Amino acid sequence: VALISGRTNTWMVPHVFVKMEVPSLAVVWAKPIESPLIGLEKWTPDNTDSIAVSDHRYMLHSAGVCRDGKWCQGHQGDITQVLNATTGEQIASEGKDWVASHSCKQM
């Protein structure tokens, strides 16, 4: 399995998380990574996604700027999203849309 995560460089367009078979690199699934609070597309240079892997879950840590109109508007924040390894669907009950102010990578 090969996992790729990245941004689209377009504001308000979600990140993408892709699972591929090896060695063919055929796409198993490609899912958007979105947060109702954090715009992952607008960030400082350390906006790199970190991925943790287990048998049944993939965890993605990323960071961005709080969306306009939200209580944290314009402030930096980070998220943790958990995906089902088989389907790529987000498991909302296991992820968090606002972990801390700023990226944990800055701390």
Side-chain angles (χ1 to χ4, degrees):
V1 171
L3 299 171
I4 297 175
S5 173
R7 63 185 178 170
T8 59
N9 285 327
T10 304
W11 181 239
M12 298 303 290
V13 174
H15 277 205
V16 64
F17 195 13
V18 181
K19 178 178 181 178
M20 296 177 289
E21 296 175 348
V22 175
S24 69
L25 298 183
V27 173
V28 176
W29 49 254
K31 300 291 182 172
I33 300 297
E34 298 182 271
S35 166
L37 284 179
I38 306 297
L40 301 174
E41 310 77 25
K42 185 176 182 183
W43 188 234
T44 58
D46 82 334
N47 186 19
T48 55
D49 297 333
S50 299
I51 301 171
V53 177
S54 75
D55 290 341
H56 305 289
R57 305 276 192 272
Y58 299 143
M59 180 181 286
L60 175 78
H61 173 266
S62 193
V65 175
C66 188
R67 297 182 186 281
D68 292 344
K70 301 295 183 179
W71 64 269
C72 52
Q73 179 175 324
H75 194 68
Q76 298 175 2
D78 64 331
I79 68 165
T80 301
Q81 298 292 329
V82 179
L83 288 79
N84 177 300
T86 303
T87 66
E89 297 301 318
Q90 286 189 18
I91 305 170
S93 62
E94 295 182 22
K96 187 153 178 72
D97 281 328
W98 188 270
V99 178
S101 292
H102 298 283
S103 167
C104 288
K105 296 170 193 169
Q106 293 178 331
M107 298 176 182

